[in-house]
Amino acid sequence: MVSAALDQWTAIRKPSAILQLIDISGSMDESIGDGKTRLDGALAGSTTTLGQVRPTDEIGVWAFTTGLTSQVDGRTVTGVGVVRPFGPLGGDKEGLKNEIDDLVHSERAGTPLYDALSSAYDYMKQHAEEGRINAIVVLSDGEDTDSSTTLNSLIQRINADQKEGGNRKPVRIFAIAYSNAADKSSLERLAKASGGQVFDASDPTKITETFQSVMNNF
């Protein structure tokens, strides 16, 4: 019964374009019990929800911490690593799962949250399409530590886009505050400006349920 309802919901929902942004900073090594770290929990939550992503949905996955650089649309972006280039998922759910799981072996440092969100927002704004739910799903367990972008400047840009007709194909930010140390107030301001939402995952053992709640928006 539940499975049938989920299948029906998946069939009728709007097509989605989602860029997932995962914090892999040093604090993600903290234990959540049963021999697992915060990062283990985050990756499990992320991959568990892949069953709801349709082949025609567009999805990309970026990780962020200091010291990373990536080429995105022909320019160098600092602080993020492209785990999965943005595009239609097709039939490669298993490949995407493996790419996300590989983040457990990544190097971890600081938390350039605002820089990562700024780059992700600019990217999605360029690639947003009418008729799709265009969104950034960002998970972070702490405060920004290493960004050149300020919170206020990022919010001002988002607000300006809304006033300049961005509501035809808005890019919404759905944020997961993944510990009591997460900067929930800043995430709430960013989500509110974009028309998105913040989800409280201060209990890390319920991260999969939190990802499920996020995916219910798509």
Side-chain angles (χ1 to χ4, degrees), residues 85-117:
F86 181 79
L89 176 61
D92 196 26
K93 288 183 181 179
E94 189 63 29
L96 177 54
K97 179 182 183 301
N98 291 337
E99 288 165 344
I100 293 172
D101 284 341
D102 281 346
L103 283 173
V104 74
H105 305 299
S106 59
E107 295 291 326
R108 294 190 270 290
T111 311
L113 173 62
Y114 304 150
D115 281 353
L117 271 172

Side-chain angles (χ1 to χ4, degrees), residues 5-197:
L6 283 172
D7 289 343
Q8 184 180 33
W9 170 80
T10 300
I12 64 174
R13 67 181 175 82
K14 289 179 69 174
S16 300
I18 304 168
L19 180 57
Q20 203 171 94
L21 201 57
I22 302 176
D23 185 343
I24 59 168
S25 61
S27 55
M28 292 289 281
D29 283 330
E30 290 197 17
S31 172
I32 59 173
D34 295 329
K36 297 180 180 178
T37 65
R38 284 181 187 165
L39 184 59
D40 292 328
L43 302 185
S46 175
T47 56
T48 298
T49 56
L50 289 177
Q52 296 178 21
V53 181
R54 296 175 298 190
T56 53
D57 287 338
E58 295 182 332
I59 189 166
V61 182
W62 293 2
F64 68 96
T65 191
T66 48
L68 296 178
T69 58
S70 291
Q71 291 295 311
V72 178
D73 283 351
R75 64 188 183 91
T76 301
V77 176
T78 61
V80 301
V82 175
V83 179
R84 173 81 171 205
F86 181 79
L89 176 61
D92 196 26
K93 288 183 181 179
E94 189 63 29
L96 177 54
K97 179 182 183 301
N98 291 337
E99 288 165 344
I100 293 172
D101 284 341
D102 281 346
L103 283 173
V104 74
H105 305 299
S106 59
E107 295 291 326
R108 294 190 270 290
T111 311
L113 173 62
Y114 304 150
D115 281 353
L117 271 172
S118 176
S119 296
Y121 183 77
D122 286 345
Y123 181 86
M124 287 301 292
K125 193 169 63 171
Q126 292 295 318
H127 293 267
E129 299 178 19
E130 291 189 55
R132 286 187 181 270
I133 300 172
N134 303 291
I136 298 166
V137 176
V138 55
L139 175 145
S140 181
D141 73 334
E143 297 183 355
D144 183 279
T145 60
D146 294 281
S147 291
S148 58
T149 305
T150 66
L151 174 63
N152 286 338
S153 68
L154 182 52
I155 290 173
Q156 287 170 3
R157 281 169 46 209
I158 295 171
N159 284 334
D161 287 339
Q162 296 296 321
K163 293 177 182 177
E164 293 172 4
N167 56 339
R168 287 192 304 109
K169 45 181 182 179
V171 176
R172 296 187 172 92
I173 296 172
F174 295 89
I176 298 174
Y178 189 36
S179 76
N180 288 321
D183 191 352
K184 191 175 179 182
S185 63
S186 295
L187 293 175
E188 285 174 340
R189 290 180 63 193
L190 288 160
K192 182 179 179 180
S194 70
Q197 189 177 348

